[in-house]
Amino acid sequence: MSTREVHVVGVPMDLGAGRRGVDMGPSALRLAQLERTLTSLGFAVADLGNVEVAVPESAARLGGGAGEPLYADAIAAACAAAAEALRDRPDGAFAIALGGDHSVSMGTVPGVAAGGELGVLWVDAHADVNTPETSPSGNVHGMPVAHLLGLGDARFTALWGDRPPLSPRDVVYVGLRSVDPPEREAIVRLGIAAYTMSDVDRRGIAAVATEALGRLSHAPRLHVSFDADVLDPTIAPGVGTPVPGGLTYREAHLLMEVLAESGRVVSLDLVEVNPILDVANRTAATLVELTASLLGKRIL
């Protein structure tokens, strides 16, 4: 990295999720000593606080039927605020966004992408590539990849103008293990590179991570969008949509270590931490440890 400066912004949003509590994720991650951990690695940390996000009790719910995403207007407004906060950071500063549910990435990715071509590693148990028409729930946290590719509701795709921030070749999935049938069809149709937990089991996380980086060789800058539910629930119980059989503690650290060695990662989302469902803030603490590995912490 060309700088030792990190800018942190919280996006306390649970409007896109199916259950409450994930809006406390930014507080949980800060409580888990994120700033102290990064400072110990030699970084100057600027915590910009949280962008304003409506709470469900004050936002128009609407939607929920076929083709109608829930809380779309309020989510779009929060994503626009997140994008602006990240666009305004100094050149070269590493960006960390604290979610909130995964719909926040519809703001964080465009905010970071404003600095030039960007590849995205979507590290998640879920594909998040439903559109409002294919979503079984209307919950927007299952749709951000589709909208970042320019597919779906105009209230989201309008956030970045005529050109979507990503094309299918700019996205690589790592850790998938719960994919809806329409999402499976979309991944194949769009040609998005995807590494499931079966790939990790067969080939090992080091080989998967190295190949994923190769798939994004055209992008000089990388963004890691890390959903806590990619981890096995035994080490990350504080998530709203747990799926058994996720990344182990060491697999997750090795993934981050391989990405760190590439020298190309410029930004990170930490999303879907739900303290209400957690045990002694274990999930947030694990994500802070993984962040340290991504930012260069080594065993020797």
Side-chain angles (χ1 to χ4, degrees):
M1 291 181 297
S2 60
T3 182
R4 302 291 289 179
E5 187 173 359
V6 176
H7 281 227
V8 177
V9 62
V11 192
M13 177 150 63
D14 65 359
L15 296 168
R19 60 196 307 174
R20 301 298 306 277
V22 74
D23 58 321
M24 294 186 286
S27 294
L29 289 159
R30 290 180 172 113
L31 184 63
Q33 304 298 323
L34 176 65
E35 182 170 349
R36 179 182 295 181
T37 299
L38 297 180
T39 300
S40 72
L41 293 174
F43 291 95
V45 180
D47 191 330
L48 308 180
N50 292 342
V51 302
E52 184 175 352
V53 182
V55 295
E57 292 80 7
S58 67
R61 186 174 190 271
L62 303 178
E68 284 295 327
L70 293 164
Y71 299 111
D73 292 331
I75 292 172
C79 288
E84 182 178 358
L86 292 175
R87 276 196 299 265
D88 289 343
R89 77 190 190 284
D91 289 342
F94 192 95
I96 300 178
L98 310 177
D101 66 70
H102 218 155
S103 63
V104 307
S105 296
M106 295 188 298
T108 62
V109 170
V112 176
E117 190 169 15
L118 188 73
V120 175
L121 287 145
W122 201 268
V123 186
D124 198 335
H126 307 90
D128 296 344
V129 74
N130 272 306
T131 63
E133 290 73 26
T134 65
S135 170
S137 66
N139 293 324
V140 178
H141 73 161
M143 310 180 196
V145 173
H147 286 109
L148 290 167
L149 295 173
L151 309 172
D153 193 282
R155 284 166 289 189
F156 302 125
T157 58
L159 291 172
W160 39 81
D162 296 334
R163 182 179 178 182
L166 299 177
S167 68
R169 76 171 189 149
D170 298 326
V171 181
V172 174
Y173 289 111
V174 176
L176 292 180
R177 61 189 187 281
S178 179
V179 181
D180 294 333
E183 294 181 300
R184 190 177 300 117
E185 295 170 5
I187 290 169
V188 173
R189 182 179 73 254
L190 296 169
I192 302 174
Y195 298 92
T196 70
M197 283 305 301
S198 294
D199 296 310
V200 173
D201 293 339
R202 290 190 176 100
R203 303 177 54 196
I205 192 62
V208 165
T210 300
E211 189 169 309
L213 287 168
R215 293 273 195 161
L216 295 171
S217 60
H218 64 280
R221 303 159 63 248
L222 300 179
H223 175 82
V224 178
S225 199
F226 193 96
D227 189 317
D229 69 26
V230 77
L231 301 171
D232 192 83
T234 58
I235 62 170
V239 299
T241 51
V243 185
L247 293 178
T248 66
Y249 182 83
R250 272 308 311 160
E251 284 173 336
H253 272 285
L254 183 53
L255 169 64
M256 293 306 213
E257 290 159 6
V258 172
L259 298 181
E261 289 168 1
S262 76
R264 294 160 58 200
V265 180
V266 299
S267 51
L268 170 68
D269 296 330
L270 299 172
V271 301
E272 299 286 359
V273 175
N274 190 328
I276 292 176
L277 305 173
D278 208 2
V279 178
N281 212 30
R282 186 194 309 169
T283 303
T286 298
L287 263 62
V288 169
E289 293 172 10
L290 293 171
T291 300
S293 288
L294 181 64
L295 288 175
K297 184 176 181 180
R298 303 170 62 92
I299 297 171
L300 292 176

